[in-house]
């Protein structure tokens, strides 16, 4: 048993290295280069020591202490990430409606910024790797952008086939990557072993006190060394806390430290290497293989982020902030492996735009940081509400712990604001556009539900009236999907009006999504008898569950309601939204909502209904 646990931990740790740490692992390609290439830091040995010390303590404070030691503790039924943290925080303050709504808004904005980050990360990572060809020979410069776009297109084109096969290579390739960057670091540290003294925090403190304005200016570049820190938390559900922690402290943190310090040792010997210190570290014979390995590592880092975008989108749809989207499962074994075409190609189009607009990793670095730092601040804010109102820790402890991390996050965020007009606006515009879509969908749905509730009849009273002079009953079961409990679904009214029949057994099914990742099968169903073989059924799903109405209804066996799948029909109402002037939302938002509603994927597909048993009946609703 102990041996099995040990091998499982080893396998999970290897997987965590491949998936979780790809982004932060490839930051060695550009982070130190951007700090010294910014022109703000005078090139002196003392400054090299100071910058390396700042890098080390930034990694220690933000990643080791904040994420690995604190934030990983805030799991939502084993799941992590901003959506899971948002659900935890909103449940912790559910008795404070106004505060809860504000937290939801803040958390959803952070989720929107994730997409901005999802555009910049693959672009800067792959571009910085391919730029290594310029070190091999300047003649390769003209091929950098076309080759980057070809690699990115190949990456997005294979998404529909799933990542199960290539995913097995992620861990070993990334382990090789960390071994190589650590070895390159050691190779140069041997020539200047005294560089290791930069681990002492007094070098960082001395630099900050001697150069306070310069420190503030370069924090926007220093933050590049911790990009990917959010992935630690987001991927907790896949690997668990222990493998992520073991991978960080045993492999990732030592490798990053050795490589950054090796780059520092190289710069002491050769200040001109600042043009691209990572690739200049390598001996000439290793340069081309290193470019290939770096490209593979950045593709893996990008893959983790693309998969994360699919997962987050599915969760946001479940929480009711986006319309239903076509979700394809790419693995019969792992239900978490999904593919969402509109997200895949939307991301690719924006990444192509970013590469063509910014043209180099240095220019993209200016766009990088604001979205990441904002997400880090939002995580810190939500953590406060979780540890205070859910874990019930003393107020002074909550304020001091999260206050310290908020101050650190705010310093990095403020510095990144200086890059707003150099490119920082790009991920913010993407995030803002997605936020408008999400809020429009949420508000539109609320208006739609309010109108339906106001115009619809009460179900039990309607059934009483119907059974005073009952229509013809036909054999089989009719399942009417309803958006609200206790109201007559439009599909039932249309069925009675046009077909003038009622099935022998009628189920009024309401699907409810909750702010928890998973709902246990034992808690999936609620059923209550109405009359005349009619039933009210509520099906509960978490934001990571896959809705499957026929699968859930099988569990009705033994509850007094037996269903034969072969004689069951599913009735849906397909509403057509008509925007009107006055009331509701602004006219342009109503038109946007109507378009989103029209383009939403079929409810039958989303709920996994058998296509040959679905009857859709349309109706118009003015908002």
């Amino acid at each position: 048993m102990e041996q099995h646990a040990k091998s499982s931990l080893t396998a999970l740790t290897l997987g965590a290295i491949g998936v979780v740490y790809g982004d932060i692992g490839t930051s060695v390609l550009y982070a130190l280069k951007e700090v010294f290439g910014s022109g703000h830091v005078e090139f002196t040995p003392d400054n090299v020591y100071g910058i390396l010390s700042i890098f080390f303590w930034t990694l220690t404070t933000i990643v080791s202490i904040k994420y690995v030691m604190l934030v990983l503790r805030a799991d939502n039924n084993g799941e992590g990430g901003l959506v899971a943290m948002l659900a935890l925080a909103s449940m912790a303050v559910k008795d404070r409606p106004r505060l809860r709504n504000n937290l939801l808004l803040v958390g959803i904005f952070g989720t929107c910024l994730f997409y901005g980050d999802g555009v910049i990360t693959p672009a800067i990572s792959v571009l910085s790797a391919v730029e290594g060809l310029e070190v091999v020979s300047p003649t390769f410069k003209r091929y950098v952008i076309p080759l980057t776009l070809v690699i990115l297109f190949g990456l997005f084109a294979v998404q529909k086939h799933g990542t199960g096969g290539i995913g097995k290579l992620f861990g070993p390739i990334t382990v090789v990557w960390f071994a190589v960057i650590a070895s390159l670091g050691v190779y140069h540290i041997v020539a200047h072993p005294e560089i290791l003294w930069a681990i002492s925090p007094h070098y960082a403190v001395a630099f900050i006190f001697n150069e306070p304005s310069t420190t503030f200016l370069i924090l926007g570049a220093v933050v590049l060394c911790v990009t990917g820190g959010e992935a630690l938390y987001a991927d907790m559900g896949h690997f668990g806390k222990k493998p992520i922690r073991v991978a960080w402290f045993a492999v990732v943190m030592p490798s990053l430290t050795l490589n950054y310090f090796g780059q520092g040792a190289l710069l002491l010997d050769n200040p001109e290497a600042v043009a691209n210190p990572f690739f200049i570290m390598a001996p000439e014979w290793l340069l081309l293989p290193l470019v290939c390995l770096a490209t593979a590592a950045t593709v893996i880092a990008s893959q983790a982020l693309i998969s994360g975008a699919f997962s987050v989108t599915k969760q946001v749809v479940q929480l009711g902030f986006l319309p239903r989207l076509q979700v394809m499962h790419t693995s019969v074994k792992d239900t978490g492996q999904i593919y969402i075409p509109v997200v895949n190609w939307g991301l690719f189009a924006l990444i192509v735009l970013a590469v063509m607009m910014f043209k180099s990793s240095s220019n993209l670095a200016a766009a990088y940081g604001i979205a990441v730092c904002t997400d880090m601040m939002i995580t810190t804010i939500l953590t406060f509400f979780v540890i205070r109102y859910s874990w019930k820790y003393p107020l002074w402890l909550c304020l001091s712990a999260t206050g310290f991390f908020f101050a650190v996050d705010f310093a990095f965020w403020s510095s990144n604001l200086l890059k707003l007009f150099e490119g920082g606006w790009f991920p913010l515009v993407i995030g803002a556009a997605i936020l408008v879509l999400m809020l429009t969908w949420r508000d539109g749905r609320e208006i739609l539900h309010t109108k339906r509730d106001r115009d619809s009849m009460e179900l039990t009273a309607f059934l009483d009236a119907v059974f005073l002079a009952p229509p013809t009953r036909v054999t089989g079961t009719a399942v009417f999907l309803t958006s609200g409990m206790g109201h007559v679904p439009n599909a039932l009214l249309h069925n009675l009006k046009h077909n003038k029949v009622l099935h022998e057994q009628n189920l009024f099914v309401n699907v409810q999504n909750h702010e928890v990742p998973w709902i246990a099968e034992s808690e999936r169903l609620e059923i209550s008898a109405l009359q005349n073989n009619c039933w009210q059924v509520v099906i509960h799903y978490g934001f990571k569950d896959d809705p499957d109405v026929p699968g859930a209804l099988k569990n009705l066996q033994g509850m007094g309601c037996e269903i034969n799948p072969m004689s069951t029909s599913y009735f849906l109402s397909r509403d057509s939204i008509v925007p009107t002037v006055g009331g509701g939302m602004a006219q342009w938002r109503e038109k946007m909502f109507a378009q989103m509603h029209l383009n939403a994927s079929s409810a039958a597909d989303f709920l996994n209904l058998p296509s040959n048993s679905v009857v859709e009946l349309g109706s118009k609703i003015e908002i």
Side-chain angles (χ1 to χ4, degrees):
M1 181 68 75
E2 188 177 332
Q3 183 63 38
H4 175 72
K6 197 172 186 179
S7 63
S8 297
L9 177 62
T10 303
L12 286 169
T13 302
L14 183 66
I17 291 170
V19 174
V20 177
Y21 292 110
D23 189 1
I24 199 168
T26 53
S27 59
V28 293
L29 289 165
Y30 45 79
L32 202 63
K33 177 179 78 169
E34 294 308 320
V35 171
F36 282 106
S38 64
H40 298 304
V41 183
E42 187 182 348
F43 201 90
T44 65
D46 283 346
N47 285 352
V48 171
Y49 276 72
I51 296 298
L52 290 177
S53 188
I54 289 173
F55 266 59
F56 178 80
W57 288 102
T58 297
L59 284 167
T60 300
T61 303
I62 293 181
V63 183
S64 298
I65 300 175
K66 176 185 170 181
Y67 280 99
V68 176
M69 295 174 69
L70 175 63
V71 174
L72 278 184
R73 294 183 62 205
D75 67 294
N76 190 340
N77 292 345
E79 292 296 322
L82 201 52
V83 175
M85 177 71 87
L86 172 60
L88 277 177
S90 66
M91 285 189 292
V93 295
K94 60 185 176 186
D95 54 339
R96 297 172 170 83
R98 184 174 292 180
L99 176 60
R100 181 177 178 276
N101 287 336
N102 289 335
L103 283 181
L104 276 171
L105 194 61
V106 169
I108 288 298
F109 179 60
T111 303
C112 294
L113 288 178
F114 174 83
Y115 293 97
D117 186 22
V119 170
I120 302 295
T121 296
I124 191 174
S125 298
V126 177
L127 196 51
S128 62
V130 178
E131 281 172 350
L133 291 173
E134 296 178 28
V135 179
V136 177
S137 170
T139 57
F140 285 126
K141 185 170 185 176
R142 73 180 78 167
Y143 302 111
V144 168
I145 290 179
L147 186 56
T148 297
L149 294 177
V150 167
I151 291 169
L152 287 167
F153 175 76
L155 175 63
F156 281 89
V158 301
Q159 295 303 312
K160 64 182 177 183
H161 302 296
T163 57
I166 58 173
K168 293 174 184 174
L169 299 173
F170 284 6
I173 290 174
T174 314
V175 167
V176 171
W177 169 253
F178 282 117
V180 168
I181 67 174
S183 302
L184 287 173
V186 170
Y187 177 74
H188 287 278
I189 289 170
V190 167
H192 287 280
E194 67 278 6
I195 198 76
L196 292 174
W197 286 112
I199 287 176
S200 170
H202 94 270
Y203 286 102
V205 173
F207 184 90
I208 292 167
F209 275 96
N210 293 334
E211 305 278 356
S213 57
T214 302
T215 301
F216 180 71
L217 291 171
I218 65 167
L219 284 180
V222 171
V223 77
L224 295 172
C225 78
V226 292
T227 55
E230 285 281 337
L232 289 172
Y233 183 43
D235 288 310
M236 178 168 58
H238 295 288
F239 301 101
K241 301 173 191 177
K242 190 171 182 180
I244 289 174
R245 285 172 173 155
V246 170
W248 174 253
F249 288 114
V251 177
V252 182
M253 176 72 170
S255 300
L256 293 176
T257 302
L258 287 170
N259 191 265
Y260 284 127
F261 279 56
Q263 289 187 44
L266 169 69
L267 293 176
L268 290 178
D269 264 345
N270 179 14
E272 292 180 3
V274 74
N276 202 328
F278 177 80
F279 284 108
I280 295 173
M281 290 175 82
E284 197 171 329
W285 61 268
L286 186 61
L287 202 49
L288 205 53
L290 186 62
V291 171
C292 295
L293 179 61
T295 304
T298 55
V299 165
I300 290 169
S302 303
Q303 174 61 60
L305 210 141
I306 295 165
S307 300
F310 294 155
S311 179
V312 166
T313 302
K314 181 190 166 198
Q315 293 170 28
V316 170
V317 169
Q318 294 279 75
L319 289 175
F321 283 91
L322 279 177
R324 295 182 303 271
L325 299 171
Q326 183 187 9
V327 177
M328 298 165 60
H329 289 268
T330 58
S331 170
V332 292
K333 293 180 181 177
D334 183 3
T335 56
Q337 283 194 27
I338 58 173
Y339 169 68
I340 303 178
V342 68
V343 174
N344 187 68
W345 294 112
L347 271 180
F348 176 70
L350 289 169
I351 288 170
V352 170
L353 180 63
V355 171
M356 299 301 290
M357 279 176 56
F358 293 97
K359 299 189 184 325
S360 75
S361 61
S362 291
N363 292 339
L364 272 166
Y368 211 13
I370 291 183
V372 173
C373 291
T374 307
D375 271 353
M376 286 180 173
M377 278 202 305
I378 289 171
T379 297
T380 302
I381 291 167
L382 295 178
T383 301
F384 168 80
F385 289 99
V386 172
I387 64 177
R388 173 60 182 154
Y389 295 104
S390 184
W391 299 355
K392 309 295 184 187
Y393 281 12
L395 181 60
W396 68 268
L397 181 60
C398 299
L399 285 174
S400 56
T402 55
F404 169 73
F405 292 120
F406 184 83
V408 174
D409 294 338
F410 186 77
F412 281 107
W413 181 78
S414 302
S415 176
N416 272 282
L417 283 183
L418 299 174
K419 303 191 293 185
L420 183 63
F421 297 107
E422 298 173 33
W425 57 269
F426 186 70
L428 291 183
V429 167
I430 294 171
I434 295 172
L435 181 66
V436 168
L437 288 174
M438 287 190 182
L439 294 182
T440 298
W441 181 255
R442 182 199 65 177
D443 295 346
R445 272 175 44 117
E446 287 179 1
I447 293 169
L448 193 59
H449 288 163
T450 301
K451 184 163 181 62
R452 278 175 178 160
D453 290 349
R454 188 174 65 240
D455 296 345
S456 64
M457 292 174 277
E458 204 267 323
L459 181 60
T460 53
F462 177 79
L463 291 176
D464 287 341
V466 166
F467 285 109
L468 288 175
T472 304
R473 305 292 290 268
V474 295
T475 59
T477 300
V479 176
F480 294 96
L481 276 299
T482 66
S483 58
M485 282 182 61
H487 296 286
V488 180
N490 283 336
L492 173 60
L493 294 174
H494 288 299
N495 188 45
L496 286 171
K497 178 181 178 182
H498 298 291
N499 298 325
K500 298 178 174 55
V501 296
L502 199 62
H503 281 70
E504 184 181 23
Q505 184 171 250
N506 296 277
L507 273 64
F508 300 95
V509 176
N510 177 236
V511 176
Q512 294 188 4
N513 295 303
H514 299 272
E515 294 172 0
V516 293
W518 315 101
I519 298 287
E521 284 297 326
S522 59
E523 300 171 5
R524 179 79 68 211
L525 286 175
E526 286 180 48
I527 182 170
S528 53
L530 298 174
Q531 57 177 321
N532 297 295
N533 218 13
C534 295
W535 308 82
Q536 175 78 64
V537 180
V538 182
I539 306 177
H540 300 279
Y541 290 109
F543 58 76
K544 296 205 76 174
D545 283 319
D546 289 313
D548 182 359
V549 169
L553 293 180
K554 286 180 183 176
N555 295 329
L556 288 174
Q557 205 126 7
M559 295 184 181
C561 179
E562 304 295 325
I563 290 185
N564 179 2
M566 300 302 295
S567 59
T568 299
S569 299
Y570 296 87
F571 289 84
L572 302 176
S573 176
R574 183 77 175 184
D575 299 322
S576 177
I577 306 300
V578 181
T580 57
V581 179
M585 300 181 288
Q587 186 76 358
W588 65 271
R589 291 185 72 202
E590 288 187 356
K591 289 180 178 178
M592 183 186 293
F593 174 71
Q595 196 62 40
M596 292 170 76
H597 196 277
L598 178 66
N599 293 327
S601 71
S602 162
D605 292 337
F606 187 75
L607 299 172
N608 201 34
L609 304 181
S611 56
N612 59 349
S613 301
V614 174
V615 179
E616 280 196 301
L617 300 164
S619 62
K620 282 189 177 182
I621 298 181
E622 293 186 352
I623 61 170

